[in-house]
């Protein structure tokens, strides 16, 4: 397991896929503009988990987050009294997006900072243009007051369920986050402290997961193995265990007749591994 994948697992995002190459492409890009990662995929809020875990794994001291679907965003850390212009008119309070974007620019002047902008499909198109200007010109403007970002220190993560503004997309490095791991790892019994006598059970599980088109992570498979040794006594129990432990599997997939032989094969291998008497006692 790569150091990055291990760090991301420890920060809440576990996957068999390794994103080390994509992250290197992002970080090693010349800093002529703000380095920007467009996080795409079919995984809903898993993309958000990826962004936060990656920011923590990179050990940036400042991680700022803004969700465009948030109806009541948290107030600024410092609430300034209303100000007035030269004609005495009261100026409106600063918008939460302006607050967090200007803060990210200010922090980046001295320290590494990640700004995560989530659910961009809900943003007004004009905000896409302003974000594009931030990336290209390295500044955020509020009422003609510029806030400059240091490109060597600021990373921008963008998450949207719809395509980004074309000019903005041109400045992004894109990464795809799938609903399930695309990379399959053939774990061995020794990876879980089991002996070679568990090999037929692992072979049956590999056949089952291949039929289902999923690749469980090590912790998911570890929990399934725990269920198999302590609680599972038939195919129905096995279906509940796999659905309960694997994040990306659909419930209907486990009920298809096409995977019934593989389910039976796992139970047969389990009986051989634990002994038929153990299974019967568990069933009772």
């Amino acid at each position: 397991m790569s150091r990055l994948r291990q760090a991301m697992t420890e920060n809440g995002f576990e996957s068999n896929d390794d994103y080390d190459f994509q992250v290197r492409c992002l970080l090693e890009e010349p800093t002529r503009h703000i380095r920007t990662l467009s996080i795409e995929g079919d995984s809903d809020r898993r993309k958000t988990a990826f962004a936060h875990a990656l920011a923590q794994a990179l050990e940036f001291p400042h991680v700022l987050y803004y969700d465009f679907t948030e109806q009541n965003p948290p107030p600024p850390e410092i609430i300034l009294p209303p100000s007035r212009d030269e004609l005495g008119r009261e100026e409106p309070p600063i918008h939460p997006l302006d607050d967090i974007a200007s803060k990210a620019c200010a922090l980046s002047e001295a320290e590494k900072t990640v700004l995560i902008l989530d659910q961009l499909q809900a943003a007004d198109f004009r905000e896409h243009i302003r974000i594009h200007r931030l990336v290209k010109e390295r500044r955020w403007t509020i009422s003609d007051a510029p806030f400059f970002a240091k490109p060597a220190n600021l990373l921008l993560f963008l998450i949207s369920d719809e395509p980004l503004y074309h000019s903005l997309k041109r400045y992004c490095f894109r990464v795809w986050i799938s609903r399930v791991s695309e990379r399959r790892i053939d774990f061995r019994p020794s990876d879980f402290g089991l002996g070679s006598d568990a090999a037929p059970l692992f072979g049956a599980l590999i056949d089952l997961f291949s039929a289902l088109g999923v690749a469980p992570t090590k912790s998911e498979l570890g929990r399934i193995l725990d269920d198999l040794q302590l609680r599972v006594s038939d195919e129905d129990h096995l279906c509940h265990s796999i659905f309960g432990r694997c994040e990306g599997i659909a419930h209907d997939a486990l009920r298809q007749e096409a995977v019934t032989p593989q389910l039976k094969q796992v139970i047969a291998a389990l009986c051989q591994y634990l002994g038929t008497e153990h299974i019967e006692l568990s069933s009772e």
Side-chain angles (χ1 to χ4, degrees):
M1 181 180 295
S2 73
R3 184 179 302 176
L4 177 66
R5 186 153 63 95
Q6 178 64 41
M8 293 184 67
T9 299
E10 293 171 355
N11 284 284
F13 182 86
E14 185 181 27
S15 175
N16 291 340
D17 303 321
D18 196 335
Y19 298 93
D20 183 71
F21 175 78
Q22 296 94 313
V23 172
R24 284 175 50 214
C25 287
L26 174 70
L27 296 181
E28 295 175 6
E29 182 179 3
T31 55
R32 291 184 293 268
H33 54 80
I34 302 300
R35 290 169 296 181
T36 304
L37 184 68
S38 175
I39 303 172
E40 303 180 8
D42 54 7
S43 55
D44 300 320
R45 288 293 186 167
R46 184 172 167 84
K47 298 191 292 286
T48 302
F50 172 87
H52 281 282
L54 177 57
Q56 297 296 333
L58 293 176
E59 298 182 343
F60 276 32
H62 303 288
V63 179
L64 306 181
Y65 176 79
Y66 182 81
D67 186 338
F68 283 95
T69 62
E70 182 65 53
Q71 297 297 319
N72 298 298
E77 295 180 3
I78 300 176
I79 301 178
L80 300 175
S83 59
R84 297 182 183 275
D85 60 18
E86 63 275 8
L87 298 177
R89 295 173 299 192
E90 186 173 300
E91 297 181 347
I94 186 171
H95 189 275
L97 175 61
D98 285 326
D99 177 67
I100 202 164
S102 59
K103 182 178 179 180
C105 291
L107 290 171
S108 73
E109 291 183 3
E111 295 184 292
K112 300 286 188 180
T113 303
V114 175
L115 173 59
I116 304 171
L117 299 180
D118 201 351
Q119 304 299 301
L120 264 163
Q121 75 279 355
D124 188 284
F125 183 70
R126 289 169 293 186
E127 303 296 3
H128 285 240
I129 296 175
R130 297 183 72 198
I131 296 168
H132 168 246
R133 188 174 298 123
L134 168 64
V135 174
K136 179 182 178 181
E137 302 177 3
R138 307 181 298 277
R139 65 182 173 89
W140 186 265
T141 303
I142 307 174
S143 300
D144 297 327
F147 295 83
F148 292 96
K150 186 174 182 179
N153 284 344
L154 181 60
L155 282 183
L156 184 61
F157 293 170
L158 305 180
I159 306 172
S160 177
D161 291 337
E162 296 177 3
L164 297 174
Y165 171 45
H166 172 70
S167 298
L168 174 58
K169 187 187 298 185
R170 289 180 59 245
Y171 282 91
C172 297
F173 184 88
R174 298 190 298 161
V175 62
W176 183 267
I177 308 302
S178 298
R179 183 173 54 87
V180 296
S181 298
E182 295 182 340
R183 177 189 179 201
R184 192 184 81 176
I185 299 177
D186 291 331
F187 296 107
R188 297 169 296 181
S190 58
D191 295 326
F192 301 88
L194 302 178
S196 59
D197 55 336
L201 176 59
F202 271 70
L205 285 170
I206 289 173
D207 290 342
L208 173 59
F209 292 130
S210 296
L212 291 170
V214 298
T217 63
K218 184 175 182 180
S219 69
E220 289 173 341
L221 182 56
R223 291 192 289 268
I224 292 171
L225 287 169
D226 183 63
D227 288 338
L228 284 168
Q229 296 178 86
L230 300 176
R231 289 171 282 275
V232 171
S233 60
D234 55 34
E235 291 91 344
D236 189 56
H237 288 174
L238 178 58
C239 288
H240 289 308
S241 173
I242 293 175
F243 180 76
R245 304 301 187 185
C246 292
E247 179 183 4
I249 192 168
H251 183 266
D252 292 344
L254 289 160
R255 300 301 177 180
Q256 294 178 358
E257 291 185 7
V259 301
T260 299
Q262 286 79 16
L263 291 169
K264 292 183 177 296
Q265 182 182 0
V266 171
I267 295 301
L270 179 65
C271 291
Q272 181 181 2
Y273 175 62
L274 296 179
T276 304
E277 182 180 355
H278 175 90
I279 296 295
E280 290 176 349
L281 289 174
S282 298
S283 179
E284 292 175 3

